[in-house]
């Protein structure tokens, strides 16, 4: 199915409309005190000579004046300019300048300027063919407007299409990196930590291995790591440890990398050892120790549940591992369930937590050994069950064989009596 065609319907010849817009820009400039400017005079001879692109260059250069156009006329004026630019043999070079103008403040409408600029930019974006790379520049301009107005929610629904757009536009990795960074900053400024972290990761994934140790990659990696550590909804650090640029922190920022390894695979005891060894470092890095302590306790409980073979975890074990009072155990178990790290049921009567589902935070040699141990236990249990089943089966077979023999015996005895009677009857006849 072909893509829908987007059009702008404006009546008038190119020359007439160009002179009209030039006069409109001159009028705006005069109201601002610029009496010397005369765009209409400059383009008149160019139009007479049929030099449309030269006339457009003059118009677009002076089009910044449209940012001061009255609110009711703003969209119509810019739409006219876009319509004229589309007559050029190379409209992209003019559209880039228009987008730059629109990313600047709309002085005539401080309150509604964002909506006005986005309306025009959206029109430009939609009337351009989907595979035109200039769409990327327009999208960047849209992000600039959104950032200036702190209105990330306006662009967030469109981000679902971003991957397909980038593929069609064939954007280079360097430009993708900058784009993801810009979106991450927008999301962070708006308070959307999940989206900010998501696009930080996307930015890091575009960093080529040869640039993994660069200062830009290091800065991005530290931002992503700090975000993951202090976000109470983020508990899986495998997405970070899989990145070359994050692995490079092992050399450039070994303390940060040590902290990452603790939250990736270790427990509360290791975190306390870290605090003792690097006294005051958490505060120096402006990390919230209360958040980190809470998170490592939740992760410790998740690891404890995953490594428990009996699937029944006594309160005292939880209290000891989390270094908390027994009265606090149920609260922490409820919190770790809410975090989605484990599933289970509390038994106040037996003072145990019955584990229904748990997942290893990492899966290495230690976890393989635990799985092997569990498989051995299950195998032994199954062998015992199979032994009982086998014994019962043999018992049933023996009973069936006995029953068959009894039936055959009774049948043979009955047949002998009948045979004897037949012989006796034959004797009487003789």
């Amino acid at each position: 199915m072909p893509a829908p065609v987007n059009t702008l319907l404006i009546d008038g010849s190119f020359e007439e409309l160009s002179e009209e817009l030039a006069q409109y820009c001159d009028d705006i400039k005069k109201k601002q005190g610029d009496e010397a400017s005369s765009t209409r005079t400059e383009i008149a001879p160019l139009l007479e000579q049929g030099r449309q692109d030269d006339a457009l260059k003059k118009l677009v250069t002076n089009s910044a004046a449209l940012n001061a156009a009255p609110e009711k006329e703003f969209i119509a004026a810019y739409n006219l300019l876009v319509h004229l630019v589309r007559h050029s043999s190379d409209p992209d070079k003019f559209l880039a300048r228009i987008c730059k103008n629109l990313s600047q403040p709309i002085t005539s409408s401080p309150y509604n300027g964002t909506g006005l600029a986005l309306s025009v930019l959206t029109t430009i974006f939609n009337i351009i063919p989907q595979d035109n790379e200039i769409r990327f520049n327009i999208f960047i301009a849209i992000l600039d407007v959104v950032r200036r107005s702190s209105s990330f929610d306006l662009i967030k629904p469109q981000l679902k299409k971003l991957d397909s757009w980038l593929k069609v536009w064939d954007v280079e990795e360097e430009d993708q990196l900058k784009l993801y960074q810009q979106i991450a900053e927008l999301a962070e400024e708006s308070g959307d930590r999940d989206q900010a972290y998501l696009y930080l990761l996307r930015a890091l994934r575009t960093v080529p291995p040869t640039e993994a140790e660069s200062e830009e990659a290091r800065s991005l990696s530290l931002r992503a790591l700090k975000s993951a550590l202090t976000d109470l909804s983020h508990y899986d650090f495998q997405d970070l440890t899989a990145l070359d640029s994050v692995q490079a922190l092992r050399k450039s920022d070994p303390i940060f990398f040590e902290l990452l390894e603790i939250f990736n695979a270790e427990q509360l005891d290791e975190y306390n050892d870290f605090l003792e060894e690097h006294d005051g470092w958490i505060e120096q890095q402006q990390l919230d120790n209360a958040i980190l302590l809470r998170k490592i306790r939740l992760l410790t409980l998740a690891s404890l549940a995953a490594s428990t073979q009996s699937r029944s975890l006594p309160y005292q074990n939880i209290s000891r591992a989390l270094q908390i009072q027994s009265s606090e155990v149920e609260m922490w178990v409820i919190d770790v369930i809410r975090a989605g790290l484990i599933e289970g049921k509390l038994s106040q009567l037996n003072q145990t937590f019955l584990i229904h589902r748990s997942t290893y935070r990492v899966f290495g040699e230690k976890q393989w050994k635990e799985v092997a141990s569990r498989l051995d236990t299950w195998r032994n249990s199954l062998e015992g069950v199979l032994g009982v089943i086998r014994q019962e089966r043999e018992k049933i077979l023996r009973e069936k064989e006995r029953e068959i023999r009894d039936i055959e015996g009774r049948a043979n005895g009955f047949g002998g009596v009948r045979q004897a009677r037949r012989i006796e009857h034959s004797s009487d006849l003789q």
Side-chain angles (χ1 to χ4, degrees), residues 6-7 12 36 109 122 131 164 309 335 341 369 384 389 395 430:
N6 299 283
T7 58
S109 182
T122 301
D131 58 349
S164 60
Q309 295 189 14
D335 286 345
L341 297 174
K369 289 180 178 179
I389 293 174
K395 180 179 178 182
Q430 293 176 356

Side-chain angles (χ1 to χ4, degrees), residues 25-35 62 64-69 106-108:
C25 290
D26 290 341
D27 292 344
I28 293 175
K29 288 184 175 182
K30 288 178 181 179
K31 290 179 181 179
Q32 294 177 324
D34 185 0
E35 297 288 342
N62 290 279
L66 296 179
N67 284 18
I106 308 303
T107 57
S108 62

Side-chain angles (χ1 to χ4, degrees), residues 12 81 96 112 121 157 176 209 221 238 290 293-294 299 326 403-404:
L81 178 60
N112 298 320
L121 286 169
Q176 288 187 40
S221 297
Q238 295 293 304
L293 191 58
R294 174 177 174 78
L299 292 171
S326 298
E403 289 176 359
I404 292 172

